[in-house]
Amino acid sequence: MLVSVKRATKLNPKFSAPISSSHGFFFYCTQALKPIDFNAESHPESFTKPLTQPQLRTLVLSQCSRGKFSNLIRNVVALPSFLLTACQSITPTHNAPSSSAFMDSLPKHFSVEEMGREVLENRFDIKACCVKLVPLRNKGESLILPNLKLKVLIEAIRIVLEIVYDERFVTFSYGGRVGMGRHTAVRYLKNSVENPKWWFTVSFNRASFDEKHVNKLCLIIEEKIKDRIFIDIIKRLFECGVLRIEFGGHYLGRGFPQECGLCAILINVYLDGFDKEIQEMRLRMKERNPKIDSNELVSGSSVFHKPVKMYVVRYLDEILVITSGPKISAMDMKIWAVKYLEGKLQLKVDRVKTAIHSATSEKINFIGMELQAVTPSVLHPPMSEKAMRAQKKYQRQKEVKAQELKNAKERIRKKMGLKILRHVFKKLKQSNGFRFDFDVSNEVRQIFRTWADEVVQEFLGSLEERWSWHRKLTTGDFLSLRHIRNQLPEELIDAYDKFQEQVDKHLSPVKARKALEDEERRIEEEGERRYAERTVKDLTTLCMKVEAPIELVRKAVKMAGFTNNMGRPRPISLLTALEDADIIKWYAGVGRRWLDFFCCCHNFKNVKIVVSYHLRFSCILTLAEKHESTKREAIRHYTKDLKISDLDGIEELHFPTEREVKMMGDKNLPDPKPVDGALSLALIRLASDEPLHSCVAHFCSRTDTIMYRVRLLQSRSNVSSLDGQNWVSGVGMVHDSLNKKCLPLCPDHISDLYMGKVTLQDIDCTLFVDVD
């Protein structure tokens, strides 16, 4: 069946002249790159290579004078090498090519030199680079996305702001920063927060940045950056709608296409003044409540010093404030925070949800996880009686196994010794008194000496055997009787006494027995000390417990169709149109992202059960439904590990195995990708004879693409992310305007998109294809 294909947007090919043809621009680039020791005459190839991180920092910091940055657009952003670095930055990093291969893969119609001239001359048309995506039947609001050329400019501005501001942000500002993601914030909460009593989260009403917020943001940026063109570009991005910041939403930091890559750092810049004020308040509180060394307290006293502290964690627009002092201090802090955010920053705070809660009796939701203050014994409970019995049973099994190995070793050694002796006597008998050139007596003597030393060492190390031989050699001997000793020669008596001295010296187990008793006493005292210390900590210390919202996870599993109303795995009929490998990859992407996102939680075991049971068997049932077979037949063919063979017959394993899931634990992930988008997104392969298109992934020049249609879960279920009854609270969704859009993707990038290695932000959604 023929289909009509219509491009939504087209980039006009622009073949620009070489950079050397524009003498002024060439001279300007040469001068701008002097701080990093680039010279156009000696290094002409440097203009076509991306810059390294040290070169980027040197280039940006060279524009700083008297604490302010100037001419960032003309001297930094407009440079072709800087734009090329931005191109490489938005390319998926897990399979990014080398610099030379990356430059060869750039499309012919994309010229960083021409783009640099447009930016330098301030004639870059931002509005022309924006594409408006309208939902089907015009239901809902439209989405404005940047094309690839505008994405490069946005990424270049983001890199500049990151170098300018990153080291100036406070330590409790997370999100949109290198190495400062969700798991870093969780590790800070678990390792640094002590004795929390009261806390609250600042909740915002769902509202987008309007003109007054943009003007306020630009005034904040102008305090550090004195560049009119730079500020004007940011304003135009907001005016065109391609740069959109929405406080109180559910898409920030989740890889959705409706979020621009520049949003995170702009939020940090906008809230930087708020962070600095809180930092000063924390320092003043620390000065008023200094930490007292435990050595300064009276020895033996039952006084425990607990200084009043305040902890703050902010991840983009989510703010958590914790205090270990009285409730009145938390109330004062809340009143000040609400007044500052609503007054100076002109944000709309939800006063109902911004409420103070007890850290010990109430849980609080933050960055998609549940927090609660608990005693240390809850996080690290003592070993139960059942576990102790299992441990003792295991120790006995080890002892029995060691004894069996020892007996087997002695038996084998005895057989080998007899064989060696039999062989030696046989050779001596055959020699008839003749001397051999090779004498084996030394080798045999060395072997038996080694065995004898091992036997002696084992004997001396065994307390029971020494005790048994000592009792046999010293008990009931008639030579110990005085009336018999008087009748015997003195030489015999002296020899007997010396023998008894050697027996007592080498076989007496008194010292060893005393050492064992001391060791048992030390272990018992250590156990009592640990019990007392654990009891005192439970009475005086509170720690932070981080848990996954398992009820919300189960609701999301049910909403996505993994389980039925009874909580049993069920197939997802929508996915039966995919290839077997794509089905498994889709499930694997959801499962692995869930495991990565919640691996830092205390109840991670429950999440592993959801992945290893609900997702695994839902995938098996989906494959069984596609091939019209039973579950047993699907398990027999794919196994429980969901193995699949490629075209060459090589088995591939995408879904985590049961053993792999069981061995997973706490990891140090900087910013794991949430699973929200994977739940609501499905890509269905189209069967059509349409012409080939280039892959829509950033700077992918492959043309062996396959057309996939985007199918969104919320569109099939007819629900919204604001619907708290039918949708999971706090879980975002892909924008409705992408529903039923068709995207050409190469095999590598469609696999990466299924597996969660790339997100919709890593592809150019403006190059969609309308297929009728």
Side-chain angles (χ1 to χ4, degrees), residues 327-350:
K327 187 176 181 180
I328 188 66
S329 62
M331 293 178 63
D332 294 340
M333 183 61 200
K334 190 197 79 168
I335 294 172
W336 176 89
V338 172
K339 183 178 179 181
Y340 189 98
L341 293 172
E342 290 184 341
K344 289 190 175 182
L345 298 183
Q346 302 176 351
L347 298 173
K348 297 179 180 180
V349 179
D350 189 345

Side-chain angles (χ1 to χ4, degrees), residues 170 172 200 202 271-285 310-314 319-321 333 336-337 340-341:
V170 296
F172 57 80
F200 65 90
V202 179
L271 296 176
D272 186 54
F274 175 77
D275 298 340
K276 296 289 179 58
E277 291 287 341
I278 292 182
Q279 184 72 2
E280 292 180 2
M281 294 175 64
R282 292 180 62 194
L283 293 177
R284 290 196 297 267
M285 183 177 292
M310 182 174 64
Y311 306 92
V312 182
V313 176
R314 183 181 63 79
I319 304 172
L320 173 66
V321 181
M333 183 61 200
W336 176 89
Y340 189 98
L341 293 172

Side-chain angles (χ1 to χ4, degrees), residues 36-272:
I36 54 176
D37 196 21
F38 277 1
N39 194 317
E41 296 179 357
S42 58
H43 303 283
E45 71 281 359
S46 63
F47 296 102
T48 58
K49 288 186 178 180
L51 303 178
T52 61
Q53 191 63 29
Q55 291 172 345
L56 289 174
R57 283 188 58 84
T58 304
L59 179 60
V60 175
L61 295 179
S62 65
Q63 307 303 317
C64 182
S65 176
R66 298 180 180 179
K68 284 194 175 185
F69 292 83
S70 60
N71 297 325
L72 290 175
I73 293 294
R74 298 176 61 84
N75 296 356
V76 178
V77 177
L79 297 181
S81 56
F82 195 88
L83 294 174
L84 196 60
T85 306
C87 295
Q88 193 176 36
S89 178
I90 62 175
T91 305
T93 56
H94 69 280
N95 59 354
S98 59
S99 298
S100 57
F102 173 74
M103 290 183 291
D104 295 338
S105 65
L106 289 177
K108 295 181 179 179
H109 62 265
F110 189 90
S111 172
V112 291
E113 291 86 0
E114 177 63 25
M115 182 178 174
R117 292 192 190 94
E118 293 178 0
V119 174
L120 179 65
E121 299 170 4
N122 198 16
R123 55 183 178 87
F124 187 90
D125 192 353
I126 294 179
K127 191 173 183 179
C129 296
C130 299
V131 179
K132 185 177 182 180
L133 275 67
V134 181
L136 294 176
R137 301 175 184 176
N138 293 326
K139 292 184 178 181
E141 59 180 1
S142 302
L143 178 64
I144 299 177
L145 295 179
N147 63 6
L148 186 59
K149 188 176 180 181
L150 183 54
K151 276 189 177 182
V152 173
L153 178 62
I154 292 174
E155 180 63 18
I157 294 175
R158 189 202 64 81
I159 294 174
V160 171
L161 289 176
E162 180 182 358
I163 297 174
V164 172
Y165 280 100
D166 192 68
E167 294 184 355
R168 294 173 172 83
F169 291 141
V170 296
T171 56
F172 57 80
S173 173
Y174 297 89
R177 303 176 61 187
V178 178
M180 300 284 283
R182 279 185 173 87
H183 282 188
T184 313
V186 170
R187 284 197 299 273
Y188 169 75
L189 290 172
K190 293 196 297 186
N191 300 331
S192 301
V193 177
E194 297 179 357
N195 300 317
K197 289 186 178 180
W198 305 97
W199 54 23
F200 65 90
T201 57
V202 179
S203 300
F204 296 96
N205 290 322
R206 190 169 184 177
S208 300
F209 257 38
D210 53 18
E211 185 177 355
K212 62 177 182 293
H213 297 109
V214 176
N215 294 333
K216 178 68 176 178
L217 175 63
C218 293
L219 289 176
I220 296 174
I221 296 177
E222 286 177 354
E223 295 176 359
K224 204 67 188 173
I225 299 176
K226 189 178 180 180
D227 191 337
R228 183 185 56 81
I229 302 177
F230 190 91
I231 303 298
D232 183 63
I233 290 177
I234 294 179
K235 287 184 177 180
R236 282 189 289 166
L237 290 173
F238 276 104
E239 291 173 358
C240 295
V242 70
L243 186 57
R244 180 185 177 192
I245 297 178
E246 183 181 278
F247 277 75
H250 303 304
Y251 66 87
L252 291 177
R254 299 173 187 262
F256 291 148
Q258 56 262 37
E259 179 192 9
C260 182
L262 190 58
C263 291
I265 193 167
L266 289 180
I267 291 175
N268 291 334
V269 172
Y270 192 76
L271 296 176
D272 186 54

Side-chain angles (χ1 to χ4, degrees), residues 543-713:
C543 301
M544 188 69 69
K545 182 175 71 170
V546 181
E547 287 189 335
I550 196 64
E551 294 300 327
L552 294 182
V553 171
R554 289 170 180 165
K555 184 177 180 180
V557 168
K558 180 181 177 181
M559 174 206 66
F562 294 108
T563 59
N564 55 20
N565 294 329
M566 301 295 294
R568 302 288 182 84
R570 62 175 295 274
I572 300 179
S573 302
L574 177 65
L575 301 177
T576 55
L578 300 178
E579 299 289 337
D580 292 353
D582 292 341
I583 294 175
I584 296 175
K585 288 177 182 179
W586 188 85
Y587 278 95
V590 176
R592 289 188 182 276
R593 272 181 276 186
W594 242 329
L595 294 172
D596 290 342
F597 189 78
F598 291 117
C599 69
C600 59
C601 297
H602 186 256
N603 60 343
F604 183 47
K605 181 179 179 181
N606 297 332
V607 181
K608 292 193 289 186
I609 292 174
V610 171
V611 174
S612 188
Y613 173 62
H614 294 97
L615 268 67
R616 186 185 306 276
F617 282 92
S618 177
C619 181
I620 292 173
L621 292 173
T622 302
L623 293 170
E625 180 179 332
K626 175 186 176 181
H627 297 286
E628 298 180 355
S629 62
T630 63
K631 182 179 72 172
R632 291 181 178 273
E633 292 175 349
I635 293 176
R636 191 181 304 114
H637 180 76
Y638 298 101
T639 72
K640 284 188 178 181
D641 293 335
L642 296 172
K643 296 180 180 178
I644 192 169
S645 301
D646 58 5
L647 297 177
D648 298 330
I650 302 175
E651 287 188 346
E652 296 179 347
L653 194 62
H654 304 289
F655 200 93
T657 63
E658 291 181 320
R659 181 178 179 84
E660 183 181 355
V661 173
K662 188 176 181 180
M663 298 301 293
M664 285 183 179
D666 195 355
K667 297 180 182 178
N668 296 327
L669 298 179
D671 199 358
K673 296 178 181 178
V675 75
D676 303 358
L679 279 177
S680 60
L681 175 67
L683 297 173
I684 308 301
R685 180 175 179 176
L686 297 183
S688 59
D689 55 353
E690 60 199 36
L692 296 178
H693 301 279
S694 298
C695 180
V696 296
H698 294 164
F699 300 107
C700 180
S701 57
R702 294 182 61 173
T703 57
D704 54 337
T705 57
I706 301 173
M707 196 66 66
Y708 289 87
R709 188 187 295 275
V710 178
R711 297 296 300 272
L712 299 181
L713 174 65

Side-chain angles (χ1 to χ4, degrees), residues 713-728:
L713 174 65
Q714 67 267 19
S715 299
R716 294 188 295 114
S717 304
N718 196 21
V719 295
S720 172
S721 61
L722 300 178
D723 188 357
Q725 295 182 352
N726 298 325
W727 195 259
V728 182

